[in-house]
Amino acid sequence: MSISKKRAVIALLAISSLIFTAACGDGGAARPNTGNNQDGSVNAVSEAPAAYRNSCIGCHAADLRGNVGPNSNLQKVGSRLSRDEIADIIANGKPNTRMPAFSKQLSEEEIQELADWLAEMK
């Protein structure tokens, strides 16, 4: 393989890994679009705790519809899960899904604030 082809492959791999790692838990790199969506619905994130905007929006979106499949939709999570179940999933992740544990990235207060807010989504 020529040097230019090797460089192209390495560049493609680097770009791919950046895109992949930016998908969830972006550490605040993504900033929410507050106000109204194009369809007229209001972005839930305008009232979201800072931890949601900084750690969750990459996978769950500004409108809570989810960016990584139907299981990432949080629009009515409070009607499916209790507040304590939500807090447990935030802290410990959800096995066999793309939901990671955030107990090392978020404080207990941030996790509880997120759980309280999400439990209201019905």
Side-chain angles (χ1 to χ4, degrees), residues 15-27:
I15 292 169
S16 298
S17 68
L18 284 173
I19 292 170
F20 178 75
T21 57
C24 290
D26 61 291

Side-chain angles (χ1 to χ4, degrees), residues 68-82:
V68 292
N71 292 335
S72 64
N73 185 317
L74 298 177
Q75 289 180 321
K76 295 185 180 189
V77 69
S79 64
R80 296 187 314 267
L81 300 171
S82 72

Side-chain angles (χ1 to χ4, degrees), residues 49-51 55 83 87 90-92 101-115:
S55 300
R83 186 212 158 282
I90 295 167
N92 302 309
F102 280 92
S103 60
K104 293 183 180 170
Q105 290 86 5
L106 300 175
S107 70
E108 182 63 29
E109 290 174 354
E110 289 172 312
I111 291 171
Q112 298 307 320
E113 182 182 28
L114 275 171

